Amino acid sequence: MLQYIIKRLLVMVPTLLGVLTITFLVTQFIPGGPVDHMLAQLDGHGARSGADTGESATGGWSYSGRQGIDAAQIEQITALYGFDKPPLTRYWEMLKNYVRFELGDSYYHHQSVASLIQEKLGVTVSLGVWIFFLTYLVSVPLGVAKAVRAGSRFDTVTTLIVLVGYATPGFVLGILLIVLFGGGSFWDIFPLRGLTSDHWHELGWGGKILDYLWHITLPVVASVVSLFAMKTLLTKNMFLEEISRQYVLTARAKGLSERQVLWKHVFRNTLLPLITGFPATFIGAFFTGSLLIETLFSLDGLGLLSYEAINNRDYPVVLGTLYLFTLIGLLIKLLSDIAYLFVDPRIKFTAQES
């Protein structure tokens, strides 16, 4: 087991290196980098509205060249962003810093990338934790209930509901929830900005919890509904497959109750494919699709930070967040593999010699 973990940790190194190398090449050599972005702002184009430049007002900019900009000023800005060094030098410096988890400083926010991530992480974690746990807390029991009642009206109706939810994009559902419950056209029940109210610090503990839940309800519902279908139907199908096996008939013949058969024997064997989906669900809950939800509900999290970084050519933020996200994803995948042993000790990670 220890040998397997060491091998997996070693494999992470070329994976991270490949991701960083490809991203570095793309970000460093595409036109319109951070130097040109800054020069465009100095030239006055970056300050125009979207109507004047043909770009959207949310960070869009246009640039027609470096004409009219003093050469010394261009040199100074180039050195400020480190682009006066050869690309290979910048690449090796980046790798050395990342080994020490020094992610550099943001071009746009003028603070360290690590502090930026720490500042925005709370919003994304709040959403991700709720999405991740609600997905399993709802989908697994519902999938079991559908398997036990396979072919019934309950099974048909719930299948229709989860498939409709799966087919509805999160941002579309979010807009619908805003229209219905966010003061759009019907009821003004839930707030649409931030995770807490302005007077949150003045509330007691009970009031703080209720205020937080009040703010988080619509974003979580919009994010989690589309995730239910896959896990629910996977759980149902796995249960149906396991229920038909011989050991279930043997367990029933021994006089075990239906609850013992389902939860002690069938459920344990069904956990394997569910655990397999942990990494994808975790990454999806925390990092995938958060941009639209955060923008829609005015939540200042990592999704919005990543979008702004790409739009503003803030390459330290782009590379730093990608480095951390990739590393977290690889570690979560390793943890899910290790969790197999707790579910089924028969699993062996080392190759058996003949």
Side-chain angles (χ1 to χ4, degrees):
M1 179 64 177
L2 180 60
Q3 185 180 4
Y4 171 78
I5 294 176
I6 294 174
K7 286 181 179 179
R8 285 291 299 272
L9 291 175
L10 292 175
V11 169
M12 290 182 187
V13 176
T15 303
L16 277 172
L17 190 62
V19 170
L20 289 175
T21 301
I22 293 173
T23 309
F24 178 85
L25 291 173
V26 171
T27 57
Q28 298 297 311
F29 298 106
I30 60 174
V35 175
D36 288 338
H37 196 181
M38 175 58 72
L39 292 176
Q41 292 180 332
L42 293 175
D43 198 31
H45 294 286
R48 292 190 196 176
S49 65
D52 295 332
T53 62
E55 298 281 344
S56 65
T58 57
W61 60 279
S62 62
Y63 181 57
S64 57
R66 300 187 178 187
Q67 297 86 355
I69 305 294
D70 184 61
Q73 192 174 29
I74 295 176
E75 246 181 74
Q76 185 180 8
I77 295 174
T78 303
L80 176 66
Y81 290 140
F83 282 83
D84 57 329
K85 302 175 183 177
L88 192 59
T89 302
R90 298 200 306 270
Y91 176 73
W92 283 116
E93 287 181 353
M94 179 192 72
L95 292 183
K96 287 188 293 185
N97 290 333
Y98 280 10
V99 169
R100 301 190 298 267
F101 286 93
E102 295 177 4
L103 305 181
D105 297 324
S106 167
Y107 297 154
Y108 182 73
H109 295 275
H110 306 295
Q111 65 183 97
S112 69
V113 175
S115 64
L116 266 176
I117 293 175
Q118 185 178 1
E119 180 184 322
K120 312 291 184 182
L121 191 61
V123 172
T124 302
V125 167
S126 292
L127 283 174
V129 167
W130 283 107
I131 294 169
F132 182 75
F133 284 105
L134 283 177
T135 298
Y136 281 93
L137 287 175
V138 174
S139 299
V140 173
L142 181 58
V144 173
K146 287 172 63 61
V148 173
R149 300 172 177 84
S152 66
R153 180 177 297 179
F154 170 81
D155 182 31
T156 304
V157 172
T158 53
T159 298
L160 178 62
I161 292 174
V162 296
L163 288 179
V164 169
Y166 178 74
T168 305
F171 72 93
V172 174
L173 180 59
I175 294 173
L176 178 62
L177 292 174
I178 290 174
V179 171
L180 291 176
F181 305 110
S185 302
F186 294 88
W187 303 281
D188 188 4
I189 300 175
F190 296 99
L192 299 178
R193 182 175 296 276
L195 291 181
T196 56
S197 301
D198 295 334
H199 62 286
W200 185 80
H201 295 286
E202 303 173 5
L203 301 174
W205 283 107
K208 288 181 178 180
I209 293 173
L210 290 176
D211 183 74
Y212 167 74
L213 294 176
W214 183 45
H215 280 76
I216 202 72
T217 298
L218 292 188
V220 168
V221 171
S223 302
V224 81
V225 167
S226 61
L227 298 177
F228 284 160
M230 187 178 299
K231 291 292 179 291
T232 300
L233 297 179
L234 176 63
T235 304
K236 174 193 171 182
N237 293 335
M238 289 303 303
F239 253 76
L240 289 176
E241 182 179 347
E242 291 296 323
I243 287 173
S244 63
R245 294 186 182 274
Q246 183 64 40
Y247 74 87
V248 175
L249 298 176
T250 304
R252 287 170 175 167
K254 289 181 178 180
L256 295 180
S257 66
E258 192 67 17
R259 179 181 294 273
Q260 288 177 311
V261 172
L262 289 177
W263 295 105
K264 186 177 180 181
H265 296 280
V266 177
F267 183 66
R268 182 177 180 179
N269 292 328
T270 310
L271 277 178
L272 284 176
L274 295 178
I275 291 177
T276 305
F278 270 20
T281 305
F282 181 88
I283 298 300
F286 279 85
F287 308 121
T288 306
S290 60
L291 168 62
L292 293 173
I293 297 299
E294 289 178 8
T295 304
L296 195 60
F297 293 97
S298 300
L299 302 175
D300 191 12
L302 290 177
L304 197 56
L305 174 66
S306 300
Y307 170 73
E308 290 178 348
I310 295 172
N311 202 38
N312 293 312
R313 310 302 193 268
D314 199 348
Y315 294 155
V317 175
V318 173
L319 288 162
T321 53
L322 180 66
Y323 171 67
L324 288 182
F325 292 172
T326 305
L327 181 60
I328 291 172
L330 292 172
L331 290 174
I332 292 297
K333 183 65 173 73
L334 174 60
L335 291 176
S336 70
D337 289 345
I338 296 173
Y340 292 164
L341 288 179
F342 295 96
V343 178
D344 191 348
R346 297 171 299 176
I347 294 178
K348 303 295 181 183
F349 291 122
T350 55
Q352 299 294 328
E353 296 183 0
S354 57

